[in-house]
Amino acid sequence: MRRFLVVLAVAAATLLGTAGQAAAYPPDPPSVSQSYNQLAALRVAAPLSMDGYSRDRFPHWLDQGNNCNTREVVLKRDGVDVTVGNDCYPQTGRWYSVYDSKWLYSPSDVDIDHMVPLANAWRSGAKLWTDSQRAAFANDLSRGQLIAVSASSNRAKGDQDPSQWRPSNVGWWCYYARHWIDVKYDYGLTVTSSEKSALYDMLSYC
């Protein structure tokens, strides 16, 4: 725990903007002990087939009011010194990608990652949901399901689970695992045995 707190303190200092404004990120995940309990409760199951899958089955970037869609809300929330126009699209700002420890200076370089990717969610149980349930999942701002990161890290991740891909920034593995576990637990999604083992390993970095 002490090692992670040191890493977190350094990251917090790095994230301070020139005007003293710190970047915000998704709501904090549950505590480490709660995450262990959630992980133990996750059901291990074989992935469902990808038959019928399409990103269109997860309507995303929906209207959030004030001329903002979900993507724009996350860009404002996760950035430093962000200003937006009447259309809510960022005109200035910068973003720190915690996955690969990179600063980004243009919103076009920023992807909004679904912590649990849509295709992974489909295989884990979302295939059986309604489109409205999938839309709620794809636009969930209440937990750590959405985060602004570099386009390169998001595309390297693709739809892989933590047994297949982890952020290059090891200092964020604890948070990554806790967010992933929380999303899967809250939505009743399953995990594979290798995914569950990988999540236990990542929690050991907390």
Side-chain angles (χ1 to χ4, degrees):
M1 175 65 76
R2 181 176 298 174
R3 174 181 60 176
F4 179 71
L5 289 175
V6 170
V7 171
L8 194 59
V10 171
T14 302
L15 290 176
L16 286 174
T18 56
Q21 176 188 349
Y25 284 109
D28 282 339
S31 68
V32 175
S33 61
Q34 288 176 298
S35 295
Y36 273 110
N37 290 336
Q38 288 181 337
L39 180 55
L42 292 181
R43 184 169 66 89
V44 174
L48 301 176
S49 79
M50 291 297 289
D51 292 348
Y53 171 76
S54 166
R55 287 179 64 85
D56 292 340
R57 301 296 302 276
F58 291 82
H60 51 288
W61 309 162
L62 300 183
D63 178 27
Q64 298 290 341
N66 298 316
N67 293 325
C68 298
N69 63 29
T70 307
R71 170 181 162 80
E72 291 159 345
V73 168
V74 178
L75 284 171
K76 289 200 297 181
R77 182 196 69 190
D78 291 3
V80 175
D81 298 329
V82 177
T83 62
V84 301
N86 292 333
D87 60 357
C88 199
Y89 193 75
Q91 296 176 323
T92 64
R94 53 197 178 109
W95 295 262
Y96 185 73
S97 173
V98 292
Y99 286 1
D100 47 5
S101 307
K102 293 181 179 178
W103 279 103
L104 309 168
Y105 298 92
S106 170
S108 63
D109 294 330
V110 181
D111 273 7
I112 306 305
D113 179 47
H114 288 93
M115 176 61 62
V116 174
L118 304 183
N120 182 283
W122 180 273
R123 295 191 296 269
S124 305
K127 178 177 183 175
L128 307 177
W129 297 350
T130 64
D131 282 358
S132 61
Q133 289 173 313
R134 286 188 283 266
F137 175 84
N139 296 273
D140 188 355
L141 294 165
S142 65
R143 52 182 59 78
Q145 170 61 353
L146 298 172
I147 182 170
V149 296
S150 69
S152 57
S153 66
N154 185 41
R155 291 163 199 182
K157 172 183 174 178
D159 66 351
Q160 299 177 95
D161 69 48
S163 70
Q164 302 161 314
W165 184 90
R166 302 180 188 187
S168 60
N169 177 12
V170 178
W172 220 70
W173 281 11
C174 172
Y175 261 64
Y176 189 88
R178 289 159 64 195
H179 281 304
W180 182 286
I181 293 164
D182 188 44
V183 171
K184 286 228 160 173
Y185 179 84
D186 286 348
Y187 282 94
L189 297 172
T190 62
V191 292
T192 65
S193 57
S194 59
E195 177 185 351
K196 195 165 190 174
S197 294
L199 289 165
Y200 273 116
D201 180 62
M202 292 178 80
L203 285 181
S204 72
Y205 284 79
C206 294

